[in-house]
Structures are given as C-alpha cells and as structure tokens.
Amino acid sequence: MSYRVIGEQRQIRQFSGGILVDSGPLLLLLVGWHDPEYIQKCAKLKGSSKEMFEALEGFVKKFRSIVITPHILAELSNLISDMPEEKAKFFLKECSERLRLSKEVYV
C-alpha cells in the first residue's frame, strides 16, 4: 500500500482508489503496525483496541493507497509527542520508513 500526501482536498480525485485517513485513525494504524500491544497504553488512542486496529487495517487494505494531507502529518506529530521518548524514537523511525514512499502534491 502506498501513501500520498496531498496539498488540498480537491486533489483527492487525482488519487482514485485511495482513501483519505485523518490523523486519529492514521495514528491507530501506525501504532498497530508498530506494536499492537501498545494501542491500549497510548494516551492519544484512549478507547481504542487491537480489535479496532485490525478492523481498520482490514478496511484500508481494500484501497490502493492511503491519502494524507500535510495538515494530517502535522497533527500526527502532535499526537506522537505524548509517547515516552524511547518508544517515540522507534515509532518515528518506523513511520518514516512507511511514509518515505509518499508523494506530496502541491496545488
């Protein structure tokens, strides 16, 4: 699955087959891919569970790509700020590996 970072929402049409994922669900996906057991320990994912991650993951796998905006990436970094430093380092490394294939489109 690829990621696309878009500049404006009207650009979504250019990425047919993709799904726009906001910062909260994106955090759930990224934390779940990194360490599903950490989902219930993450303060910003309060009320989320491994089962919710698995359902969301199953849903987004039906699409060719995940579409995110620069604003979503900024909010994601704010959500990560509550993680313990060591956990955040490993998490950010994995996030950067997953997102490095992204393509940002300016409008």
Side-chain angles (χ1 to χ4, degrees):
M1 175 172 297
S2 64
Y3 293 83
R4 299 284 184 256
V5 181
I6 61 173
E8 288 188 11
Q9 289 187 345
R10 66 180 177 202
Q11 293 294 103
I12 293 171
R13 287 178 283 225
Q14 292 184 6
F15 302 105
S16 63
I19 182 171
L20 179 67
V21 178
D22 201 5
S23 56
L26 182 60
L27 181 65
L28 177 58
L29 285 171
L30 292 170
V31 169
W33 287 328
H34 175 70
D35 179 4
E37 301 305 318
Y38 188 70
I39 292 170
Q40 292 186 324
K41 298 174 187 172
C42 181
K44 295 293 185 175
L45 292 175
K46 187 176 181 178
S48 297
S49 66
K50 185 176 176 181
E51 292 77 19
M52 291 173 75
F53 157 70
E54 291 168 350
L56 180 59
E57 180 185 39
F59 179 73
V60 299
K61 280 186 175 182
K62 296 176 183 178
F63 298 88
R64 285 189 293 159
S65 63
I66 293 177
V67 178
I68 52 180
T69 67
H71 298 287
I72 291 171
L73 287 177
E75 181 60 23
L76 182 65
S77 71
N78 292 337
L79 294 174
I80 293 170
S81 66
D82 281 352
M83 290 183 173
E85 186 176 342
E86 281 302 309
K87 189 73 168 171
K89 283 181 185 178
F90 289 111
F91 180 73
L92 287 172
K93 182 179 181 217
E94 185 163 322
C95 286
S96 66
E97 289 172 7
R98 287 187 178 269
L99 296 175
R100 73 184 162 105
L101 300 175
S102 68
K103 177 182 177 185
E104 188 165 3
V105 177
Y106 294 93
V107 179

